[in-house]
Amino acid sequence: MNELYDIIIIGGGPAGLTAGLYASRARMNTLLLRSLSVMGQATMTDMIENYPGIERTGGFELINAIEKQAKAFGSNRLDETVTKISAVEEKGAPVWRIETDSGTHKALSVIVASGARPRKLEVPGEDKFSGMGVSYCATCDGALFRDKDIVVVGGGDAAIEEAMFLARLVKKITVIHRRDRLRAAKILQERVFACENTVFEWDSVVEEIAGTDRVEKVVVRNLKTSELKDLPRDGVFIFIGWEPNTGFLKGVLQLDKSGRITVDESMRTGQKGVFACGDCCKRPLHQVVTACGDGAVAAHSARQYVEELKGVAYK
Ligand code: NAP
């Protein structure tokens, strides 16, 4: 028979780790399941400078620090990918069964913090050249493009921050954005416009990524004139947003049309004993600091739920 945990947390990004930290400090019997194949947005970020109290840090460094802190309070972690969650009614309350690629675990409550993955452009050549010039992570792949000509696709915070990181390594960057202005924060805009080796193709989209063994060119269409243009380039970095990792929850939790989990202010989902936090949820702002805040609230709500279930709640 499997151990019955108080809380199982699905996801090892800032939201899940913070939930783990809070749950362990509350002395809940907690298990955190983390998929090694999933790289979250924070770990793929070169520089974070809006996490209060820390002037500047790398994504990896911040995640490692939170992880170390959670572990110190006794948080258990297994590197397993969750494939399904389901409930069995026992003594009037659901016991959650978490199936993974390596086995099954049981818990009185679940916190889903499964994060999100990079959105794809869905254009010809994107899959073929993935890892051969097409990348979704500047921190991981930037060094491979030293002194090369590349394009960055997107106009949000991620595209502009990553473009500035890449600008220090590559010869020239062309940012391709589908509008005539950036969505990114003003401070990032000021900085990117000051980068001498960065130029912009406004009102433009990528139609195709082409080459033989590796990326050699990008075909770009101007949305205002419909003109097509070949840009000979060595690499394409795509930062056009994120899609939630919630496929395994379809039919179990209420998801919005983009697949994000609907939660209330206590991070409760519509299912008894299931809470959610971070980038997999529908939230007005997705940042490391909000993911951590949501993780703390989710753990607090899960603890209250479990203590009421066990009849040991402090009222
Ligand atoms: P985002 O804010 O959703 O921006 C995505 C960008 O990609 C937008 O400019 C969008 O264009 C464009 N786009 C979307 N789909 C596209 C498509 N199919 N073809 C071409 N362009 C497309 O995503 P993000 O930049 O990844 O950021 C995600 C979240 O993380 C945001 O909340 C962001 O603030 C946060 N973040 C924060 C920081 C920071 O605070 N330093 C850093 C990174 C990320 P439109 O503008 O036309 O919609």
Side-chain angles (χ1 to χ4, degrees):
M1 179 67 91
N2 279 334
E3 181 171 358
L4 178 63
Y5 289 96
D6 290 328
I7 303 177
I8 287 184
I9 298 163
I10 304 171
L17 288 171
T18 306
L21 173 63
Y22 274 70
S24 310
R25 282 192 81 239
R27 296 291 181 243
M28 295 274 110
N29 182 14
T30 307
L31 173 66
L32 186 143
L33 298 168
R34 182 186 72 161
S35 177
L36 275 182
S37 60
V38 178
M39 275 188 86
Q41 185 168 4
T43 43
M44 286 162 80
T45 303
D46 164 54
M47 187 189 54
I48 295 172
E49 60 174 17
N50 53 3
Y51 190 88
I54 299 177
E55 211 170 276
R56 197 167 280 196
T57 182
F60 257 121
E61 286 82 350
L62 185 57
I63 294 290
N64 282 340
I66 307 175
E67 195 164 5
K68 207 169 137 200
Q69 196 179 4
K71 215 168 162 187
F73 286 108
S75 192
N76 300 305
R77 194 195 79 199
L78 288 175
D79 294 330
E80 295 182 17
T81 303
V82 175
T83 52
K84 188 178 168 186
I85 77 166
S86 56
V88 188
E89 199 79 2
E90 277 183 28
K91 294 181 195 153
V95 168
W96 287 93
R97 211 178 123 91
I98 315 295
E99 291 172 47
T100 74
D101 52 359
S102 312
T104 303
H105 305 280
K106 290 197 309 179
L108 295 174
S109 70
V110 182
I111 297 176
V112 182
S114 51
R117 61 187 180 282
R119 181 177 293 139
K120 287 182 161 193
L121 273 176
E122 312 285 357
V123 296
E126 182 177 15
D127 285 342
K128 180 178 171 193
F129 295 109
S130 183
M132 306 298 288
V134 171
S135 172
Y136 305 86
C137 177
T139 324
C140 322
D141 301 326
L144 304 171
F145 295 85
R146 211 170 274 280
D147 299 322
K148 306 265 189 207
D149 284 358
I150 63 161
V151 302
V152 163
V153 188
D157 286 334
I160 299 313
E161 256 188 6
E162 302 309 308
M164 285 187 297
F165 168 73
L166 290 163
R168 303 201 293 265
L169 302 168
V170 305
K171 189 162 88 191
K172 183 183 169 190
I173 297 182
T174 307
V175 177
I176 299 173
H177 183 38
R178 64 185 180 183
R179 296 205 218 192
D180 61 358
R181 63 196 165 94
L182 298 174
R183 176 186 289 281
K186 288 285 180 284
I187 188 166
L188 298 178
Q189 297 194 27
E190 287 164 16
R191 290 178 191 166
V192 78
F193 292 141
C195 284
E196 281 179 1
N197 61 349
T198 304
V199 296
F200 291 81
E201 285 283 339
W202 300 110
D203 300 306
S204 298
V205 291
V206 173
E207 288 279 307
E208 188 186 346
I209 300 165
T212 42
D213 296 335
R214 292 189 57 83
V215 169
E216 287 166 12
K217 71 169 184 180
V218 178
V219 183
V220 174
R221 181 163 58 90
N222 184 295
L223 293 171
K224 288 204 166 142
T225 63
S226 294
E227 183 200 347
L228 284 173
K229 173 151 94 172
D230 281 0
L231 299 181
R233 295 291 186 274
D234 307 296
V236 184
F237 282 81
I238 300 165
F239 305 108
I240 58 165
W242 292 75
E243 307 210 321
N245 296 317
T246 51
F248 67 101
L249 298 166
K250 271 187 194 138
V252 183
L253 298 186
Q254 193 185 337
L255 308 177
D256 73 358
K257 63 179 188 317
S258 70
R260 289 199 147 85
I261 303 164
T262 310
V263 285
D264 68 11
E265 63 180 23
S266 300
M267 311 315 289
R268 284 184 293 237
T269 67
Q271 287 281 7
K272 226 169 154 184
V274 183
F275 306 83
C277 50
D279 284 1
C280 60
C281 295
K282 184 175 163 57
R283 304 293 287 152
L285 185 65
H286 289 121
Q287 305 266 296
V288 177
V289 69
T290 55
C292 291
D294 288 352
V297 175
H300 172 75
S301 302
R303 177 186 61 77
Q304 274 186 332
Y305 169 82
V306 170
E307 288 180 345
E308 272 166 27
L309 211 60
K310 290 180 169 178
V312 295
Y314 186 90
K315 291 188 176 166

